[in-house]
Amino acid sequence: MHEQPNQKGFDLYLKTLAWARLNFELQSILSRSEHPISAETRKKLYTVGYPADSFNKLSAQEIQKLFNEGEFFSCIKTGNRIVTFALKENGLNKKTFTDIEKSITDAYEQIRQIDESNSLLDKSYNYTLEALAVFRL
């Protein structure tokens, strides 16, 4: 049976929303140096591709370095992870770019309400939208 385009778009929206929210949430939690991290956060780290077991072995200074340019939780790499996922799911379908952007914006706004003063979130969100704009045809 063939899915209706609206359902497919909604499924993409939900998947992208969940992925973007997860990445923004981890960046928010970890930038506040919650140490040691919970089992739930370790599971989330593993989901986004970070070796979660090694995280608790890091000092507070080493954790903060993970947010430097070019590091795993930097704004650019966080944005790129979100865009890569969305594009992989989307297949560069121009009709769903609006849904992708909306899901990323909704995820950002959800985390922003929890962590209002985190400038890393703003930068990651902006890098995400900039990276996504490159693929808009």
Side-chain angles (χ1 to χ4, degrees):
M1 185 158 211
H2 209 56
E3 273 188 322
Q4 296 293 323
N6 289 345
Q7 182 62 42
K8 199 172 203 175
F10 184 69
D11 290 345
L12 171 65
Y13 169 84
L14 290 179
K15 286 179 184 178
T16 304
L17 174 67
W19 182 253
R21 189 180 194 292
L22 174 64
N23 279 274
F24 288 138
E25 178 185 10
L26 282 170
Q27 191 179 49
S28 173
I29 290 169
L30 299 174
S31 68
R32 289 183 269 138
S33 295
E34 293 182 14
H35 205 61
I37 60 170
S38 68
E40 180 183 346
T41 300
R42 269 195 303 281
K43 184 177 178 182
K44 290 176 181 181
L45 283 166
Y46 180 76
T47 300
V48 299
Y50 190 83
D53 293 340
S54 67
F55 198 85
N56 280 337
K57 298 174 187 170
L58 300 176
S59 69
Q61 293 82 10
E62 290 170 321
I63 291 171
Q64 287 306 309
K65 286 181 184 178
L66 292 174
F67 298 94
N68 292 345
E69 188 175 331
E71 297 297 328
F72 193 85
F73 290 107
S74 70
C75 297
I76 291 174
K77 288 216 174 180
T78 297
N80 286 342
R81 265 193 312 281
I82 294 167
V83 170
T84 299
F85 176 85
L87 293 176
K88 183 180 127 196
E89 293 292 318
N90 177 44
L92 292 176
N93 179 345
K94 286 195 283 187
K95 292 179 183 178
T96 59
F97 264 77
T98 301
D99 289 338
I100 289 172
E101 288 174 337
K102 181 168 177 16
S103 62
I104 291 169
T105 299
D106 289 351
Y108 163 76
E109 289 174 358
Q110 288 174 12
I111 298 302
R112 196 70 174 114
Q113 289 176 4
I114 297 167
D115 191 2
E116 294 176 2
S117 64
N118 193 329
S119 64
L120 284 172
L121 292 174
D122 299 333
K123 290 179 185 175
S124 293
Y125 173 66
N126 289 327
Y127 280 123
T128 301
L129 294 183
E130 286 175 19
L132 189 60
V134 169
F135 295 94
R136 183 182 288 281
L137 303 174

